Amino acid sequence: MYDYLIVGGGSAGCVLASRLSEDPQVRVALLEAGPADKNVLIHCPAGLAVMAKYELNGWGLATVPQPGLNGRRGYQPRGKVLGGSSSINAMIYARGHASDYDAWAAEGNPGWSFADVLPYFKRAEHNERGADALHGQGGPLNVMDLRSPNPFLPAFMEAGQQAGYRLNNDFNGPEQEGIGPYQVTHKNGERFSAAKAYLTPHLNRPNLNVITGALTTRVLTEVVDGRPCAVGVEYRPDAGRGALQSLRLKPGGEVVLSAGAFGSPQLLMLSGIGPAAHLREHGIGVVHDLPGVGANLHDHPDVVMVVNAPKLTELFGLSWTGVVNMVKGLFEWRRQRSGPLTTNFAEAGGFIKSSPEEPIPDLQLHFVVGKLVDHGRKTVLGHGYSCHVCLLRPRSRGTLRLASADPQVAPLIDPAFLQDADDTARLVRGFKCMRELLQQPALARHGGMESKASAEAQSDAQIEQFIRNHADTIYHPVGTCRMGPDGAAVVDARLRVHGVAGLRVVDASVMPSVVGGNTNAPVIMMAEKAVDMMHEDHPPRRFAPHP
């Protein structure tokens, strides 16, 4: 019998398990479908390239065919390991724009303005630059500048200034706009995932039970006082191959879904909570008709330009020189936790406007110190660099639906990429902004040549077709359990599922709209805030906290 059952050991789940189990009188169980985070490819930052290529430590998901991408199926990597996607991502620490959170609050979600959430960003953070009005020190999540930044980065940042953008050394500071280096969630030259920050130091707590290889199949509910109430969860151990088992809640306890923008709505629907007609199509008994479950799916659409630069052998590349550099880097990383293998690849970038009339940046750039083709899943010869441009606030909205009542069958993921014409127009403008930056003298003097696939796209119509043939996600799906007060919302402002007692959702799925930046730091913030709300709803007993 547990006080809290947390489903999903990703960024939010690790925060929740750590914080809630600080009270030794509270019993907490965390169920994660994947394994423990022991693979060296997780801890060596550059290992993300290998994990991306072979889809390691992930669910192996893809979208349904996307009309906006000329019928292609999109890539949808999600972490299936302790730490979740924070164990496989590019480790960028970015919060988004302050106005993103103010918009959440204005939509009827009190407590979610930027002034409300900033204390939770600061509580989570240990920024090695130091603390100030916008940054924290002493929190579990280590944030730092790259230990061994690539020597080519100044050329990108100089090119950005030549293109008319300001240099910005802190995208989480007073102003987001500009070009500069990213801070990363590293510590001592290693990835510092949510698992390493929050969970690993506390695995010996006797009141915390972490169960890996546990595929949760449904939330167990009973009718209490005339409404459905979560009373436990059902799961299959042994990576989903074992016999069904269940865990139960103490009276007044809570089930918390932190399975992500795909996993949480899928699990709700498997549990009979969701659009009634859709559940009946799959033979699932309706526990609570909640039409918004799985709706409002959206993501940052993104397109990459690759530049071939064979003379730039300090960049990552597949060549004899590249292999020698990699071997040297491996020994340096093993000895000193420094060198090229500490890269997160997307070492620099920026937030820019697609036109001067935009009030805030609507585009994000990620500059990559290597040739990135098909999200790194295709091996290409030679050296070069790449740049992403992604649309920060897409208007297109899609859905997450069940393909089967079998929990082991992946759901139908439809982010409706580029369904709205405004998304396409902005991304075309963004592509031209990116190309103009990459053609500035600071980069042009190195003799790089834009890859043929994109170089042939010159007119707006040709650029649009290039985007439709090559764009994909930048890995930030959100919105499928939207927070709000209206009938189409799934959770309220305290992240409690509408109409079901004892059940919350805490992860990116509750975002009403995606933030203008990377989503890992915001999810960690949301989980920190959720813990306070849960303590307010269930006041902790007086206790001597765990260390």
Side-chain angles (χ1 to χ4, degrees):
M1 299 287 285
Y2 290 89
D3 295 278
Y4 296 103
L5 294 171
I6 303 164
V7 179
S11 294
C14 288
V15 175
L16 294 167
S18 173
R19 293 299 197 191
L20 292 171
S21 65
E22 287 176 354
D23 181 348
Q25 298 183 63
V26 168
R27 293 196 67 200
V28 179
L30 173 67
L31 295 93
E32 165 56 41
D37 55 331
K38 296 180 180 179
N39 193 320
V40 69
L41 295 173
I42 294 173
H43 303 295
C44 177
L48 76 91
V50 179
M51 291 192 290
K53 180 175 178 58
Y54 297 105
E55 298 189 43
L56 303 177
N57 300 305
W59 286 89
L61 300 173
T63 71
V64 299
Q66 295 291 287
L69 304 184
N70 287 340
R72 292 182 295 117
R73 290 166 60 89
Y75 180 43
Q76 293 288 310
R78 297 286 90 196
K80 187 180 181 182
V81 62
L82 281 181
S85 295
S86 76
S87 288
I88 68 170
N89 68 1
M91 297 157 277
I92 292 172
Y93 183 82
R95 298 173 176 174
H97 197 275
S99 65
D100 296 323
Y101 303 97
D102 293 340
W104 291 3
E107 292 172 11
N109 297 297
W112 290 96
S113 71
F114 185 69
D116 293 317
V117 303
L118 177 59
Y120 295 101
F121 277 118
K122 294 173 68 175
R123 176 190 293 182
E125 180 183 13
H126 178 79
N127 198 305
E128 292 191 6
R129 291 183 183 176
D132 58 25
L134 293 171
H135 295 289
Q137 272 205 322
L141 185 67
N142 204 73
V143 178
M144 62 180 288
D145 300 322
L146 279 165
R147 173 171 279 191
S148 304
N150 192 281
F152 192 64
L153 292 188
F156 169 76
M157 289 182 273
E158 183 183 354
Q161 293 175 284
Q162 291 171 345
Y165 304 110
R166 66 183 287 262
L167 187 64
N168 189 345
N169 198 45
D170 183 5
F171 297 125
N172 304 301
E175 295 292 334
Q176 185 192 50
E177 187 173 2
I179 301 293
Y182 284 117
Q183 283 202 293
V184 292
T185 49
H186 283 191
K187 187 174 183 180
N188 298 327
E190 294 187 7
R191 175 192 294 274
F192 209 63
S193 68
K196 292 181 76 172
Y198 282 90
L199 194 65
T200 303
H202 308 301
L203 289 174
N204 62 343
R205 287 178 179 167
N207 62 328
L208 174 61
N209 184 15
V210 177
I211 309 172
T212 55
L215 178 69
T216 303
T217 59
R218 66 183 176 119
V219 177
L220 301 173
T221 57
E222 295 177 0
V223 176
V224 179
D225 296 329
R227 68 185 298 210
C229 178
V231 296
V233 299
E234 185 179 77
Y235 73 99
R236 289 187 180 276
D238 191 23
R241 295 184 293 267
L244 279 174
Q245 298 187 27
S246 63
L247 299 176
R248 304 284 292 191
L249 286 173
K250 294 178 182 178
E254 288 193 8
V255 172
V256 187
L257 303 186
S258 296
F262 304 145
S264 287
Q266 181 187 22
L267 190 53
L268 283 174
M269 289 187 280
L270 291 171
S271 307
I273 303 165
H278 179 61
L279 301 183
R280 293 188 183 107
E281 288 174 5
H282 292 283
I284 298 172
V286 179
V287 171
H288 181 58
D289 182 12
L290 200 54
V293 174
N296 192 47
L297 173 60
H298 58 291
D299 194 354
H300 288 144
D302 172 270
V303 68
V304 182
M305 179 185 290
V306 177
V307 176
N308 298 305
K311 295 181 181 179
L312 296 175
T313 55
E314 70 268 30
L315 301 178
F316 277 85
L318 189 59
S319 67
W320 286 114
T321 302
V323 171
V324 170
N325 290 344
M326 186 68 70
V327 172
K328 291 180 179 177
L330 177 60
F331 281 103
E332 181 177 354
W333 185 79
R334 290 186 64 183
R335 290 194 308 267
Q336 303 170 350
R337 291 299 193 263
S338 62
L341 295 194
T342 62
T343 184
N344 71 321
F345 293 98
E347 296 188 14
F351 294 87
I352 64 175
K353 298 174 181 177
S354 65
S355 69
E357 293 75 30
E358 294 298 324
I360 59 175
D362 59 335
L363 303 168
Q364 183 177 1
L365 303 178
H366 295 84
F367 183 73
V368 179
V369 292
K371 293 165 67 173
L372 192 73
V373 178
D374 192 23
H375 290 259
R377 293 186 296 171
K378 289 185 179 178
T379 301
V380 291
L381 298 175
H383 295 261
Y385 51 89
S386 312
C387 195
H388 294 253
V389 59
C390 81
L391 177 62
L392 289 176
R393 294 174 190 84
R395 295 184 181 180
S396 301
R397 294 292 185 270
T399 58
L400 186 292
R401 291 289 179 253
L402 296 177
S404 167
D406 183 348
Q408 303 204 56
V409 175
L412 302 174
I413 301 168
D414 181 11
F417 282 131
L418 305 183
Q419 182 180 56
D420 191 292
D422 183 75
D423 294 355
T424 307
R426 287 177 186 270
L427 207 48
V428 168
R429 295 199 300 270
F431 184 89
K432 293 194 291 186
C433 292
M434 174 175 64
R435 172 180 274 163
E436 181 184 14
L437 189 159
L438 295 181
Q439 290 176 343
Q440 296 301 312
L443 289 172
R445 65 171 174 255
H446 294 281
M449 297 291 293
E450 183 179 345
S451 66
K452 181 179 178 182
S454 62
E456 292 177 345
Q458 295 297 321
S459 69
D460 284 6
Q462 290 171 332
I463 292 172
E464 179 180 332
Q465 282 308 306
F466 174 80
I467 290 170
R468 293 191 185 280
N469 287 330
H470 296 277
D472 211 327
T473 176
I474 194 68
Y475 325 120
H476 302 150
V478 306
T480 47
C481 296
R482 181 174 67 85
M483 170 172 54
D486 57 281
V490 176
V491 300
D492 65 14
R494 300 183 72 78
L495 310 187
R496 299 171 298 197
V497 175
H498 287 301
V500 182
L503 182 59
R504 286 185 211 245
V505 181
V506 183
D507 57 32
S509 71
V510 306
M511 292 185 184
S513 52
V514 67
V515 297
N518 308 74
T519 51
N520 188 55
V523 167
I524 290 173
M525 172 279 293
M526 296 175 81
E528 286 273 15
K529 181 174 171 59
V531 169
D532 267 8
M533 293 189 292
M534 294 162 80
H535 282 164
E536 290 165 5
D537 292 346
H538 310 283
R541 308 162 183 85
R542 292 187 177 275
F543 65 91
H546 287 289

